[in-house]
Short mmCIF file of all heavy atoms in Angstrom, two decimals:
data_model
loop_
_atom_site.label_atom_id
_atom_site.label_comp_id
_atom_site.label_asym_id
_atom_site.label_seq_id
_atom_site.Cartn_x
_atom_site.Cartn_y
_atom_site.Cartn_z
N LYS A 1 -35.46 14.61 -13.76
CA LYS A 1 -35.76 13.68 -12.68
C LYS A 1 -37.25 13.75 -12.34
O LYS A 1 -37.83 14.83 -12.35
CB LYS A 1 -34.93 14.02 -11.46
CG LYS A 1 -33.44 13.97 -11.67
CD LYS A 1 -32.85 12.83 -10.93
CE LYS A 1 -31.35 12.80 -11.18
NZ LYS A 1 -30.80 11.54 -10.87
N PRO A 2 -37.84 12.62 -12.00
CA PRO A 2 -39.25 12.61 -11.62
C PRO A 2 -39.51 13.43 -10.35
O PRO A 2 -38.61 13.63 -9.54
CB PRO A 2 -39.54 11.12 -11.37
CG PRO A 2 -38.45 10.37 -12.04
CD PRO A 2 -37.27 11.29 -12.08
N ALA A 3 -40.74 13.87 -10.19
CA ALA A 3 -41.10 14.64 -9.01
C ALA A 3 -40.81 13.84 -7.75
O ALA A 3 -40.97 12.63 -7.72
CB ALA A 3 -42.58 14.99 -9.06
N GLY A 4 -40.35 14.54 -6.71
CA GLY A 4 -40.04 13.87 -5.46
C GLY A 4 -38.61 13.40 -5.34
O GLY A 4 -38.17 13.04 -4.27
N LYS A 5 -37.88 13.38 -6.46
CA LYS A 5 -36.48 12.98 -6.40
C LYS A 5 -35.62 14.20 -6.11
O LYS A 5 -35.99 15.31 -6.45
CB LYS A 5 -36.05 12.36 -7.74
CG LYS A 5 -36.65 10.98 -7.95
CD LYS A 5 -36.00 10.28 -9.09
CE LYS A 5 -34.65 9.80 -8.63
NZ LYS A 5 -33.96 8.97 -9.58
N PRO A 6 -34.45 14.00 -5.49
CA PRO A 6 -33.56 15.12 -5.23
C PRO A 6 -33.12 15.78 -6.53
O PRO A 6 -33.12 15.15 -7.59
CB PRO A 6 -32.36 14.50 -4.52
CG PRO A 6 -32.65 13.06 -4.36
CD PRO A 6 -33.93 12.73 -5.05
N ALA A 7 -32.73 17.06 -6.46
CA ALA A 7 -32.28 17.78 -7.63
C ALA A 7 -31.07 17.10 -8.25
O ALA A 7 -30.96 16.99 -9.47
CB ALA A 7 -31.93 19.22 -7.26
N ARG A 8 -30.19 16.63 -7.42
CA ARG A 8 -28.98 15.92 -7.86
C ARG A 8 -28.67 14.82 -6.86
O ARG A 8 -28.95 14.95 -5.67
CB ARG A 8 -27.78 16.85 -7.91
CG ARG A 8 -27.91 17.99 -8.86
CD ARG A 8 -27.15 17.69 -10.12
NE ARG A 8 -27.14 18.88 -10.96
CZ ARG A 8 -27.53 18.86 -12.21
NH1 ARG A 8 -27.94 17.76 -12.75
NH2 ARG A 8 -27.50 19.94 -12.92
N THR A 9 -28.06 13.75 -7.36
CA THR A 9 -27.61 12.66 -6.49
C THR A 9 -26.15 12.37 -6.79
O THR A 9 -25.77 12.20 -7.95
CB THR A 9 -28.45 11.38 -6.71
OG1 THR A 9 -29.81 11.67 -6.41
CG2 THR A 9 -27.96 10.24 -5.85
N ILE A 10 -25.36 12.32 -5.73
CA ILE A 10 -23.95 11.94 -5.83
C ILE A 10 -23.83 10.58 -5.16
O ILE A 10 -24.16 10.42 -3.99
CB ILE A 10 -23.04 12.96 -5.13
CG1 ILE A 10 -23.19 14.34 -5.76
CG2 ILE A 10 -21.58 12.48 -5.18
CD1 ILE A 10 -22.46 15.45 -5.00
N LEU A 11 -23.35 9.60 -5.92
CA LEU A 11 -23.14 8.25 -5.40
C LEU A 11 -21.67 8.07 -5.13
O LEU A 11 -20.83 8.29 -6.00
CB LEU A 11 -23.61 7.21 -6.42
CG LEU A 11 -23.32 5.75 -6.09
CD1 LEU A 11 -24.10 5.31 -4.85
CD2 LEU A 11 -23.67 4.87 -7.29
N VAL A 12 -21.33 7.69 -3.89
CA VAL A 12 -19.94 7.47 -3.52
C VAL A 12 -19.75 5.99 -3.25
O VAL A 12 -20.42 5.41 -2.40
CB VAL A 12 -19.56 8.29 -2.26
CG1 VAL A 12 -18.08 8.13 -1.96
CG2 VAL A 12 -19.92 9.76 -2.44
N MET A 13 -18.85 5.37 -4.00
CA MET A 13 -18.54 3.95 -3.87
C MET A 13 -17.14 3.80 -3.29
O MET A 13 -16.26 4.60 -3.59
CB MET A 13 -18.57 3.26 -5.24
CG MET A 13 -19.88 3.37 -5.99
SD MET A 13 -21.17 2.33 -5.35
CE MET A 13 -20.49 0.71 -5.60
N GLY A 14 -16.94 2.78 -2.48
CA GLY A 14 -15.60 2.58 -1.93
C GLY A 14 -15.56 1.49 -0.89
O GLY A 14 -16.51 0.73 -0.71
N ASP A 15 -14.43 1.45 -0.18
CA ASP A 15 -14.19 0.43 0.85
C ASP A 15 -14.40 1.03 2.23
O ASP A 15 -15.21 1.94 2.40
CB ASP A 15 -12.79 -0.14 0.68
CG ASP A 15 -11.70 0.93 0.77
OD1 ASP A 15 -12.01 2.09 1.12
OD2 ASP A 15 -10.53 0.61 0.50
N SER A 16 -13.67 0.56 3.21
CA SER A 16 -13.86 1.02 4.59
C SER A 16 -13.53 2.50 4.77
O SER A 16 -14.10 3.15 5.64
CB SER A 16 -13.02 0.17 5.55
OG SER A 16 -11.66 0.22 5.19
N PHE A 17 -12.64 3.05 3.95
CA PHE A 17 -12.35 4.48 4.05
C PHE A 17 -13.57 5.32 3.68
O PHE A 17 -13.74 6.43 4.15
CB PHE A 17 -11.16 4.87 3.16
CG PHE A 17 -9.85 4.33 3.66
CD1 PHE A 17 -9.27 3.24 3.06
CD2 PHE A 17 -9.23 4.91 4.74
CE1 PHE A 17 -8.07 2.74 3.51
CE2 PHE A 17 -8.02 4.42 5.21
CZ PHE A 17 -7.45 3.32 4.60
N THR A 18 -14.41 4.77 2.83
CA THR A 18 -15.64 5.45 2.42
C THR A 18 -16.78 5.13 3.38
O THR A 18 -17.57 6.00 3.72
CB THR A 18 -16.03 5.00 1.00
OG1 THR A 18 -14.93 5.25 0.13
CG2 THR A 18 -17.25 5.72 0.49
N ALA A 19 -16.85 3.87 3.83
CA ALA A 19 -17.96 3.42 4.66
C ALA A 19 -17.95 4.02 6.06
O ALA A 19 -19.01 4.15 6.67
CB ALA A 19 -17.93 1.89 4.77
N TRP A 20 -16.81 4.38 6.56
CA TRP A 20 -16.69 4.91 7.92
C TRP A 20 -17.64 6.09 8.10
O TRP A 20 -17.73 6.98 7.25
CB TRP A 20 -15.23 5.34 8.12
CG TRP A 20 -14.86 5.80 9.48
CD1 TRP A 20 -15.07 5.15 10.65
CD2 TRP A 20 -14.17 7.01 9.81
NE1 TRP A 20 -14.57 5.88 11.69
CE2 TRP A 20 -14.01 7.04 11.21
CE3 TRP A 20 -13.69 8.08 9.07
CZ2 TRP A 20 -13.40 8.08 11.87
CZ3 TRP A 20 -13.06 9.11 9.72
CH2 TRP A 20 -12.92 9.10 11.10
N PRO A 21 -18.41 6.14 9.20
CA PRO A 21 -19.45 7.16 9.37
C PRO A 21 -18.96 8.62 9.28
O PRO A 21 -19.72 9.48 8.87
CB PRO A 21 -20.01 6.87 10.76
CG PRO A 21 -19.72 5.44 11.01
CD PRO A 21 -18.43 5.16 10.29
N SER A 22 -17.73 8.89 9.65
CA SER A 22 -17.22 10.27 9.58
C SER A 22 -16.29 10.48 8.39
O SER A 22 -15.44 11.35 8.42
CB SER A 22 -16.49 10.62 10.88
OG SER A 22 -17.38 10.56 11.96
N SER A 23 -16.47 9.68 7.34
CA SER A 23 -15.58 9.76 6.19
C SER A 23 -15.98 10.87 5.23
O SER A 23 -16.92 11.62 5.47
CB SER A 23 -15.56 8.42 5.46
OG SER A 23 -16.84 8.15 4.93
N TYR A 24 -15.28 10.95 4.13
CA TYR A 24 -15.48 12.07 3.20
C TYR A 24 -16.89 12.19 2.62
O TYR A 24 -17.34 13.30 2.37
CB TYR A 24 -14.40 12.08 2.11
CG TYR A 24 -14.51 10.96 1.10
CD1 TYR A 24 -15.20 11.15 -0.08
CD2 TYR A 24 -13.91 9.74 1.32
CE1 TYR A 24 -15.30 10.14 -1.02
CE2 TYR A 24 -14.00 8.72 0.39
CZ TYR A 24 -14.69 8.93 -0.77
OH TYR A 24 -14.78 7.93 -1.69
N PRO A 25 -17.67 11.10 2.41
CA PRO A 25 -19.05 11.32 1.94
C PRO A 25 -19.89 12.11 2.94
O PRO A 25 -20.72 12.93 2.55
CB PRO A 25 -19.59 9.91 1.74
CG PRO A 25 -18.38 9.07 1.47
CD PRO A 25 -17.33 9.67 2.36
N THR A 26 -19.66 11.87 4.22
CA THR A 26 -20.38 12.61 5.26
C THR A 26 -19.99 14.08 5.23
O THR A 26 -20.84 14.98 5.33
CB THR A 26 -20.10 12.01 6.64
OG1 THR A 26 -20.46 10.63 6.62
CG2 THR A 26 -20.88 12.72 7.73
N LEU A 27 -18.69 14.34 5.08
CA LEU A 27 -18.20 15.72 4.99
C LEU A 27 -18.74 16.40 3.73
O LEU A 27 -19.13 17.57 3.77
CB LEU A 27 -16.68 15.75 5.01
CG LEU A 27 -16.02 15.19 6.27
CD1 LEU A 27 -14.51 15.11 6.10
CD2 LEU A 27 -16.39 16.03 7.48
N LEU A 28 -18.77 15.66 2.63
CA LEU A 28 -19.30 16.21 1.38
C LEU A 28 -20.77 16.57 1.53
O LEU A 28 -21.19 17.66 1.14
CB LEU A 28 -19.12 15.18 0.26
CG LEU A 28 -19.71 15.53 -1.10
CD1 LEU A 28 -19.05 16.78 -1.67
CD2 LEU A 28 -19.56 14.36 -2.06
N ALA A 29 -21.55 15.68 2.12
CA ALA A 29 -22.98 15.92 2.30
C ALA A 29 -23.24 17.17 3.13
O ALA A 29 -24.21 17.89 2.90
CB ALA A 29 -23.64 14.71 2.94
N ALA A 30 -22.37 17.45 4.08
CA ALA A 30 -22.53 18.62 4.94
C ALA A 30 -22.19 19.92 4.20
O ALA A 30 -22.59 21.00 4.65
CB ALA A 30 -21.64 18.49 6.17
N ARG A 31 -21.49 19.80 3.07
CA ARG A 31 -21.02 21.01 2.38
C ARG A 31 -21.74 21.31 1.07
O ARG A 31 -21.57 22.38 0.52
CB ARG A 31 -19.52 20.89 2.14
CG ARG A 31 -18.74 21.08 3.42
CD ARG A 31 -17.29 20.66 3.27
NE ARG A 31 -16.50 20.93 4.45
CZ ARG A 31 -16.55 20.26 5.58
NH1 ARG A 31 -17.39 19.25 5.71
NH2 ARG A 31 -15.79 20.56 6.61
N VAL A 32 -22.53 20.38 0.58
CA VAL A 32 -23.24 20.63 -0.68
C VAL A 32 -24.63 21.20 -0.39
O VAL A 32 -25.10 21.17 0.75
CB VAL A 32 -23.35 19.35 -1.55
CG1 VAL A 32 -22.00 18.87 -1.99
CG2 VAL A 32 -24.13 18.27 -0.84
N ASP A 33 -25.27 21.68 -1.40
CA ASP A 33 -26.63 22.20 -1.29
C ASP A 33 -27.54 21.14 -0.68
O ASP A 33 -27.43 19.96 -1.01
CB ASP A 33 -27.10 22.56 -2.70
CG ASP A 33 -28.43 23.27 -2.71
OD1 ASP A 33 -29.44 22.62 -2.35
OD2 ASP A 33 -28.47 24.45 -3.08
N PRO A 34 -28.44 21.53 0.21
CA PRO A 34 -29.34 20.55 0.83
C PRO A 34 -30.21 19.78 -0.17
O PRO A 34 -30.71 18.70 0.15
CB PRO A 34 -30.21 21.39 1.76
CG PRO A 34 -29.45 22.63 2.01
CD PRO A 34 -28.62 22.86 0.78
N ALA A 35 -30.39 20.32 -1.36
CA ALA A 35 -31.18 19.62 -2.38
C ALA A 35 -30.39 18.47 -3.02
O ALA A 35 -30.96 17.67 -3.75
CB ALA A 35 -31.63 20.60 -3.45
N VAL A 36 -29.09 18.40 -2.75
CA VAL A 36 -28.24 17.34 -3.30
C VAL A 36 -28.18 16.19 -2.31
O VAL A 36 -27.89 16.38 -1.14
CB VAL A 36 -26.82 17.87 -3.59
CG1 VAL A 36 -25.92 16.74 -4.07
CG2 VAL A 36 -26.87 18.99 -4.62
N ARG A 37 -28.48 15.00 -2.80
CA ARG A 37 -28.40 13.80 -1.95
C ARG A 37 -27.06 13.13 -2.19
O ARG A 37 -26.68 12.85 -3.33
CB ARG A 37 -29.53 12.85 -2.31
CG ARG A 37 -29.45 11.53 -1.55
CD ARG A 37 -30.65 10.65 -1.80
NE ARG A 37 -30.73 10.25 -3.19
CZ ARG A 37 -31.44 9.22 -3.64
NH1 ARG A 37 -32.16 8.51 -2.79
NH2 ARG A 37 -31.47 8.93 -4.91
N VAL A 38 -26.32 12.88 -1.12
CA VAL A 38 -25.07 12.15 -1.20
C VAL A 38 -25.33 10.76 -0.63
O VAL A 38 -25.72 10.61 0.52
CB VAL A 38 -23.94 12.85 -0.41
CG1 VAL A 38 -22.66 12.02 -0.45
CG2 VAL A 38 -23.68 14.25 -0.96
N VAL A 39 -25.12 9.75 -1.48
CA VAL A 39 -25.35 8.36 -1.08
C VAL A 39 -24.01 7.71 -0.81
O VAL A 39 -23.18 7.58 -1.71
CB VAL A 39 -26.10 7.57 -2.18
CG1 VAL A 39 -26.28 6.12 -1.77
CG2 VAL A 39 -27.44 8.22 -2.48
N ASN A 40 -23.79 7.32 0.44
CA ASN A 40 -22.56 6.62 0.81
C ASN A 40 -22.78 5.13 0.61
O ASN A 40 -23.49 4.49 1.37
CB ASN A 40 -22.19 6.92 2.26
CG ASN A 40 -20.86 6.31 2.65
OD1 ASN A 40 -20.35 5.43 1.98
ND2 ASN A 40 -20.31 6.78 3.75
N SER A 41 -22.16 4.59 -0.44
CA SER A 41 -22.31 3.17 -0.74
C SER A 41 -21.00 2.44 -0.48
O SER A 41 -20.69 1.45 -1.14
CB SER A 41 -22.77 2.99 -2.19
OG SER A 41 -23.20 1.67 -2.39
N GLY A 42 -20.21 2.93 0.47
CA GLY A 42 -18.98 2.27 0.84
C GLY A 42 -19.27 1.00 1.64
O GLY A 42 -20.20 0.97 2.44
N VAL A 43 -18.47 -0.02 1.40
CA VAL A 43 -18.63 -1.29 2.12
C VAL A 43 -17.27 -1.68 2.69
O VAL A 43 -16.30 -1.89 1.93
CB VAL A 43 -19.16 -2.41 1.20
CG1 VAL A 43 -19.32 -3.71 1.98
CG2 VAL A 43 -20.47 -2.00 0.56
N SER A 44 -17.20 -1.76 4.00
CA SER A 44 -15.95 -2.11 4.66
C SER A 44 -15.46 -3.48 4.18
O SER A 44 -16.23 -4.44 4.15
CB SER A 44 -16.16 -2.13 6.17
OG SER A 44 -14.94 -2.34 6.83
N GLY A 45 -14.20 -3.54 3.80
CA GLY A 45 -13.60 -4.79 3.36
C GLY A 45 -13.73 -5.09 1.89
O GLY A 45 -13.16 -6.07 1.41
N PHE A 46 -14.46 -4.28 1.15
CA PHE A 46 -14.64 -4.53 -0.28
C PHE A 46 -13.36 -4.20 -1.05
O PHE A 46 -12.65 -3.26 -0.74
CB PHE A 46 -15.78 -3.67 -0.85
CG PHE A 46 -17.08 -4.41 -1.01
CD1 PHE A 46 -17.45 -5.43 -0.15
CD2 PHE A 46 -17.95 -4.07 -2.02
CE1 PHE A 46 -18.65 -6.10 -0.29
CE2 PHE A 46 -19.16 -4.74 -2.18
CZ PHE A 46 -19.51 -5.75 -1.32
N THR A 47 -13.10 -5.00 -2.08
CA THR A 47 -12.01 -4.74 -3.01
C THR A 47 -12.56 -3.98 -4.21
O THR A 47 -13.78 -3.87 -4.38
CB THR A 47 -11.39 -6.06 -3.51
OG1 THR A 47 -12.39 -6.75 -4.28
CG2 THR A 47 -10.91 -6.93 -2.36
N ILE A 48 -11.69 -3.48 -5.07
CA ILE A 48 -12.14 -2.75 -6.25
C ILE A 48 -12.98 -3.67 -7.15
O ILE A 48 -13.95 -3.24 -7.78
CB ILE A 48 -10.97 -2.12 -7.02
CG1 ILE A 48 -11.47 -1.14 -8.08
CG2 ILE A 48 -10.08 -3.16 -7.64
CD1 ILE A 48 -12.16 0.08 -7.54
N ARG A 49 -12.67 -4.94 -7.18
CA ARG A 49 -13.44 -5.89 -8.00
C ARG A 49 -14.87 -6.02 -7.46
O ARG A 49 -15.84 -6.03 -8.23
CB ARG A 49 -12.76 -7.25 -8.00
CG ARG A 49 -13.39 -8.22 -8.94
CD ARG A 49 -12.56 -9.46 -9.03
NE ARG A 49 -11.23 -9.07 -9.50
CZ ARG A 49 -10.52 -9.73 -10.38
NH1 ARG A 49 -10.97 -10.85 -10.87
NH2 ARG A 49 -9.35 -9.31 -10.77
N GLN A 50 -15.02 -6.09 -6.15
CA GLN A 50 -16.36 -6.18 -5.55
C GLN A 50 -17.14 -4.88 -5.75
O GLN A 50 -18.35 -4.91 -6.00
CB GLN A 50 -16.24 -6.51 -4.06
CG GLN A 50 -15.73 -7.91 -3.81
CD GLN A 50 -15.32 -8.10 -2.37
OE1 GLN A 50 -14.53 -7.34 -1.83
NE2 GLN A 50 -15.88 -9.14 -1.74
N ILE A 51 -16.45 -3.76 -5.65
CA ILE A 51 -17.09 -2.46 -5.89
C ILE A 51 -17.58 -2.40 -7.34
O ILE A 51 -18.69 -1.95 -7.60
CB ILE A 51 -16.12 -1.30 -5.57
CG1 ILE A 51 -15.80 -1.28 -4.07
CG2 ILE A 51 -16.67 0.03 -6.04
CD1 ILE A 51 -14.63 -0.41 -3.70
N ALA A 52 -16.76 -2.87 -8.27
CA ALA A 52 -17.13 -2.86 -9.69
C ALA A 52 -18.36 -3.73 -9.95
O ALA A 52 -19.20 -3.39 -10.78
CB ALA A 52 -15.95 -3.33 -10.55
N ARG A 53 -18.48 -4.84 -9.23
CA ARG A 53 -19.66 -5.70 -9.38
C ARG A 53 -20.91 -5.07 -8.79
O ARG A 53 -22.02 -5.28 -9.27
CB ARG A 53 -19.42 -7.06 -8.74
CG ARG A 53 -18.81 -8.05 -9.71
CD ARG A 53 -18.70 -9.38 -9.06
NE ARG A 53 -17.43 -9.32 -8.35
CZ ARG A 53 -16.86 -10.27 -7.67
NH1 ARG A 53 -17.47 -11.41 -7.52
NH2 ARG A 53 -15.71 -10.12 -7.10
N LEU A 54 -20.74 -4.30 -7.72
CA LEU A 54 -21.88 -3.66 -7.06
C LEU A 54 -22.34 -2.40 -7.82
O LEU A 54 -23.52 -2.05 -7.77
CB LEU A 54 -21.48 -3.28 -5.63
CG LEU A 54 -22.52 -2.60 -4.76
CD1 LEU A 54 -23.76 -3.49 -4.60
CD2 LEU A 54 -21.92 -2.25 -3.41
N LEU A 55 -21.44 -1.75 -8.52
CA LEU A 55 -21.74 -0.48 -9.17
C LEU A 55 -22.97 -0.50 -10.07
O LEU A 55 -23.83 0.37 -9.94
CB LEU A 55 -20.51 0.03 -9.93
CG LEU A 55 -20.67 1.37 -10.65
CD1 LEU A 55 -21.05 2.48 -9.67
CD2 LEU A 55 -19.40 1.72 -11.40
N PRO A 56 -23.14 -1.47 -10.98
CA PRO A 56 -24.34 -1.44 -11.84
C PRO A 56 -25.65 -1.48 -11.05
O PRO A 56 -26.63 -0.83 -11.43
CB PRO A 56 -24.21 -2.69 -12.71
CG PRO A 56 -22.75 -3.03 -12.67
CD PRO A 56 -22.26 -2.58 -11.34
N HIS A 57 -25.66 -2.20 -9.94
CA HIS A 57 -26.86 -2.27 -9.11
C HIS A 57 -27.16 -0.93 -8.44
O HIS A 57 -28.31 -0.50 -8.37
CB HIS A 57 -26.71 -3.37 -8.06
CG HIS A 57 -26.44 -4.70 -8.64
ND1 HIS A 57 -27.42 -5.47 -9.24
CD2 HIS A 57 -25.29 -5.41 -8.76
CE1 HIS A 57 -26.88 -6.59 -9.69
NE2 HIS A 57 -25.59 -6.58 -9.41
N ARG A 58 -26.10 -0.28 -7.97
CA ARG A 58 -26.28 1.04 -7.33
C ARG A 58 -26.68 2.10 -8.34
O ARG A 58 -27.47 2.99 -8.04
CB ARG A 58 -25.01 1.46 -6.59
CG ARG A 58 -24.66 0.59 -5.40
CD ARG A 58 -25.73 0.72 -4.33
NE ARG A 58 -25.30 0.12 -3.10
CZ ARG A 58 -25.81 -1.00 -2.59
NH1 ARG A 58 -26.79 -1.61 -3.22
NH2 ARG A 58 -25.35 -1.48 -1.47
N LEU A 59 -26.16 1.99 -9.57
CA LEU A 59 -26.54 2.95 -10.61
C LEU A 59 -28.02 2.83 -10.92
O LEU A 59 -28.72 3.84 -11.07
CB LEU A 59 -25.72 2.71 -11.88
CG LEU A 59 -24.24 3.05 -11.80
CD1 LEU A 59 -23.54 2.61 -13.09
CD2 LEU A 59 -24.02 4.52 -11.54
N GLU A 60 -28.50 1.61 -10.98
CA GLU A 60 -29.93 1.39 -11.24
C GLU A 60 -30.79 1.86 -10.06
O GLU A 60 -31.83 2.47 -10.24
CB GLU A 60 -30.19 -0.09 -11.52
CG GLU A 60 -31.61 -0.37 -11.91
CD GLU A 60 -31.83 -1.83 -12.25
OE1 GLU A 60 -30.89 -2.48 -12.74
OE2 GLU A 60 -32.95 -2.30 -12.03
N GLU A 61 -30.31 1.58 -8.86
CA GLU A 61 -31.08 1.92 -7.66
C GLU A 61 -31.18 3.42 -7.41
O GLU A 61 -32.24 3.93 -7.08
CB GLU A 61 -30.44 1.25 -6.44
CG GLU A 61 -31.15 1.50 -5.15
CD GLU A 61 -30.50 0.80 -3.97
OE1 GLU A 61 -29.51 0.06 -4.15
OE2 GLU A 61 -31.00 1.00 -2.84
N PHE A 62 -30.07 4.15 -7.61
CA PHE A 62 -30.04 5.56 -7.22
C PHE A 62 -30.04 6.54 -8.39
O PHE A 62 -30.24 7.72 -8.20
CB PHE A 62 -28.82 5.84 -6.34
CG PHE A 62 -28.88 5.11 -5.03
CD1 PHE A 62 -28.05 4.04 -4.78
CD2 PHE A 62 -29.78 5.49 -4.05
CE1 PHE A 62 -28.10 3.35 -3.57
CE2 PHE A 62 -29.85 4.82 -2.84
CZ PHE A 62 -29.00 3.75 -2.60
N ASP A 63 -29.79 6.08 -9.63
CA ASP A 63 -29.76 6.94 -10.81
C ASP A 63 -28.97 8.23 -10.54
O ASP A 63 -29.50 9.34 -10.66
CB ASP A 63 -31.19 7.27 -11.24
CG ASP A 63 -31.26 7.99 -12.56
OD1 ASP A 63 -30.34 7.81 -13.39
OD2 ASP A 63 -32.21 8.76 -12.77
N PRO A 64 -27.69 8.09 -10.15
CA PRO A 64 -26.92 9.27 -9.76
C PRO A 64 -26.53 10.16 -10.92
O PRO A 64 -26.43 9.72 -12.07
CB PRO A 64 -25.68 8.66 -9.12
CG PRO A 64 -25.49 7.37 -9.86
CD PRO A 64 -26.90 6.88 -10.10
N ASP A 65 -26.31 11.44 -10.60
CA ASP A 65 -25.79 12.39 -11.58
C ASP A 65 -24.27 12.36 -11.58
O ASP A 65 -23.64 12.63 -12.60
CB ASP A 65 -26.26 13.80 -11.21
CG ASP A 65 -27.77 13.89 -11.23
OD1 ASP A 65 -28.34 13.87 -12.33
OD2 ASP A 65 -28.37 13.93 -10.14
N ILE A 66 -23.69 12.04 -10.44
CA ILE A 66 -22.23 11.98 -10.28
C ILE A 66 -21.90 10.72 -9.50
O ILE A 66 -22.59 10.37 -8.54
CB ILE A 66 -21.71 13.21 -9.50
CG1 ILE A 66 -22.01 14.48 -10.27
CG2 ILE A 66 -20.21 13.09 -9.22
CD1 ILE A 66 -21.73 15.75 -9.49
N VAL A 67 -20.82 10.03 -9.91
CA VAL A 67 -20.32 8.87 -9.19
C VAL A 67 -18.87 9.13 -8.81
O VAL A 67 -18.07 9.54 -9.64
CB VAL A 67 -20.40 7.58 -10.05
CG1 VAL A 67 -19.80 6.39 -9.31
CG2 VAL A 67 -21.84 7.29 -10.46
N ILE A 68 -18.57 8.91 -7.53
CA ILE A 68 -17.21 9.04 -7.04
C ILE A 68 -16.74 7.65 -6.63
O ILE A 68 -17.39 6.98 -5.82
CB ILE A 68 -17.12 10.00 -5.84
CG1 ILE A 68 -17.62 11.39 -6.24
CG2 ILE A 68 -15.70 10.06 -5.29
CD1 ILE A 68 -17.72 12.36 -5.09
N LEU A 69 -15.61 7.22 -7.20
CA LEU A 69 -15.04 5.91 -6.86
C LEU A 69 -13.77 6.12 -6.06
O LEU A 69 -13.01 7.00 -6.31
CB LEU A 69 -14.71 5.12 -8.10
CG LEU A 69 -15.91 4.77 -8.98
CD1 LEU A 69 -15.46 4.14 -10.27
CD2 LEU A 69 -16.83 3.82 -8.25
#
């Protein structure tokens, strides 16, 4: 990874269960190493088809090491 980027990035994609501010991505971020960035890319109301369409854009934007769907 280029300088200035987090050691690792975890991208979490999902619907309202993911987007909710106190959902599992928030809990995950509190439990992983501070050098790991957890990106909550949940969108309330999204279907799996909409998530699948958004995924390539998020992959390009965040270059994650791990993706959770």
Side-chain angles (χ1 to χ4, degrees):
K1 301 249 179 199
K5 288 192 76 173
R8 299 258 187 233
T9 299
I10 300 172
L11 174 65
V12 185
M13 302 286 297
D15 58 9
S16 57
F17 290 103
T18 305
W20 185 52
S22 298
S23 65
Y24 70 94
T26 303
L27 298 173
L28 175 62
R31 287 167 175 74
V32 296
D33 187 293
V36 176
R37 175 173 64 161
V38 177
V39 177
N40 184 344
S41 193
V43 180
S44 185
F46 260 32
T47 65
I48 191 66
R49 187 172 300 221
Q50 291 167 307
I51 294 166
R53 271 184 274 183
L54 180 60
L55 181 59
H57 303 284
R58 294 296 191 250
L59 291 174
E60 185 177 329
E61 181 179 357
F62 296 108
D63 188 27
D65 299 287
I66 298 171
V67 176
I68 300 173
L69 297 172

